[in-house]
Amino acid sequence: MDAIEDSSALWALLCKPGWEIKPNPVKHLLKIKAPDYQEALMLYNNYRKFLAMWAASLDCTCALIGIQGMRGSAFKIIAATPASQQKLYEDLIFASLRKSVSCDSERLVNREFENDISKYSGFYIAETCLHPELRPIVDEIFSNPDKKLALTRMSDNLQLIVSASAARAMSSDSQDVVRRRTTDFWHARDYEFFLRMFKQDGGAGFEITYQATTNLPKINPLAPWARFTTSYRFFEIDVGGRTEVYRLGEGKDITLISRPKVVS
């Protein structure tokens, strides 16, 4: 669960030296620069619900958390939609109520549950609306809870459904694992090789070994690297008169490695 969020604490944090707030109304972006990666990670973990609503209130599509001295963003938070804002407000109100009640036994029970939940088989889903044509693939994922399976949309490389075993292999939690994009984690050279294989053998599917970071994007100098072996199958779905390609990956092996010398 997210840490208890407090708007006054957030504003006090962003007013400290080393922080920058840069709304960009032209590109509809709320940009925030943190002094270092640990501060950026803390902001993302503790205040992403507030930032989602803040971005929406500024008519921005998302909030980007970057790091001083580094290009690009380390974290991206999609702005809250009108339909989701009420749920976010309810969550924040509930968090405030819990904060006002001191109950050691309740906190102990919740902490034990949160620690144990990662042990169970399950699935993390990024989108509540999936096309009916994907049902056979979704059924296959749900019928094999112990396999390291992930369904990814090729057009934007967003992971839509991830099994709990695959999330554990990537050292990711339920929030982050369905926000992963291939290009943010894979070594660029290996991703280019993957695209070449897809053009050649996409219809038949294939197995590939590649280098990628696990739980942190590759732009983070602290990100741990691993060598993954994954088999892929590809599916073409008609979506409103256009063809959308999805891939179903099954993890076969993962080995931690040292950071590659060249990363792009």
Side-chain angles (χ1 to χ4, degrees):
M1 293 175 65
D2 291 342
I4 300 301
E5 298 166 313
D6 183 350
S7 58
S8 60
L10 170 61
W11 187 248
L13 173 68
L14 297 179
C15 288
K16 289 182 178 180
W19 288 87
E20 291 182 61
I21 308 172
K22 299 180 176 180
N24 189 329
V26 176
K27 295 185 177 181
H28 300 285
L29 298 175
L30 172 60
K31 294 185 177 181
I32 300 174
K33 284 284 188 178
D36 54 47
Y37 179 79
Q38 292 301 326
E39 293 283 349
L41 179 62
M42 184 274 294
L43 178 68
Y44 175 75
N45 285 334
N46 291 3
Y47 299 101
R48 53 189 168 200
K49 290 181 181 178
F50 272 120
L51 292 174
M53 290 190 292
W54 189 12
S57 69
L58 296 175
D59 197 27
C60 293
T61 58
C62 65
L64 302 177
I65 305 174
I67 303 170
Q68 296 289 0
M70 295 182 64
R71 297 183 61 184
S73 59
F75 301 99
K76 180 179 180 180
I77 301 170
I78 303 299
T81 63
S84 67
Q85 286 192 46
Q86 181 62 34
K87 179 63 168 60
L88 289 174
Y89 281 121
E90 291 172 358
D91 289 346
L92 293 175
I93 292 171
F94 177 72
S96 298
L97 289 174
R98 287 195 58 194
K99 187 177 181 181
S100 66
V101 177
S102 177
C103 180
D104 292 338
S105 61
E106 179 187 354
R107 287 198 298 269
L108 179 60
V109 169
N110 285 335
R111 189 179 304 116
E112 289 177 348
F113 177 74
E114 290 165 12
N115 290 337
D116 288 343
I117 196 169
S118 63
K119 300 176 184 178
Y120 300 114
S121 297
F123 305 91
Y124 306 138
I125 302 177
E127 297 186 355
T128 55
C129 178
L130 295 172
H131 299 288
E133 292 84 354
L134 289 173
R135 181 172 178 176
I137 307 170
V138 175
D139 288 345
E140 179 178 348
I141 297 174
F142 276 67
S143 299
N144 296 277
D146 296 328
K147 290 186 177 181
K148 299 178 179 65
L149 296 172
L151 178 66
T152 304
R153 187 167 51 211
M154 289 285 288
S155 60
D156 57 5
N157 283 308
L158 182 66
Q159 291 188 162
L160 304 180
I161 304 177
V162 181
S163 67
S165 56
R168 286 193 292 270
M170 294 181 285
S171 304
S172 298
D173 64 22
S174 59
Q175 297 280 346
D176 296 329
V177 72
V178 286
R179 295 193 178 103
R180 291 171 62 101
R181 296 181 189 273
T182 303
T183 48
D184 294 334
F185 292 81
W186 281 39
H187 193 290
R189 181 182 57 234
D190 291 341
Y191 181 64
E192 291 172 359
F193 179 67
F194 167 81
L195 291 179
R196 289 198 298 271
M197 292 191 66
F198 169 66
K199 291 179 180 179
Q200 296 172 2
D201 304 311
F206 54 83
E207 184 172 288
I208 183 175
T209 297
Y210 57 92
Q211 297 177 101
T213 55
T214 55
N215 60 326
L216 298 173
K218 63 185 180 182
I219 64 169
N220 181 0
L222 301 178
W225 283 82
R227 182 177 292 108
F228 295 83
T229 298
T230 304
S231 63
Y232 287 102
R233 286 179 287 150
F234 300 87
F235 306 87
E236 293 187 355
I237 305 296
D238 180 73
V239 181
R242 61 183 177 83
T243 300
E244 186 77 75
V245 181
Y246 296 83
R247 66 175 181 265
L248 180 63
E250 180 180 353
K252 301 293 186 180
D253 183 64
I254 175 174
T255 304
L256 293 177
I257 60 174
S258 59
R259 180 182 175 85
K261 292 182 179 179
V262 179
V263 180
S264 58

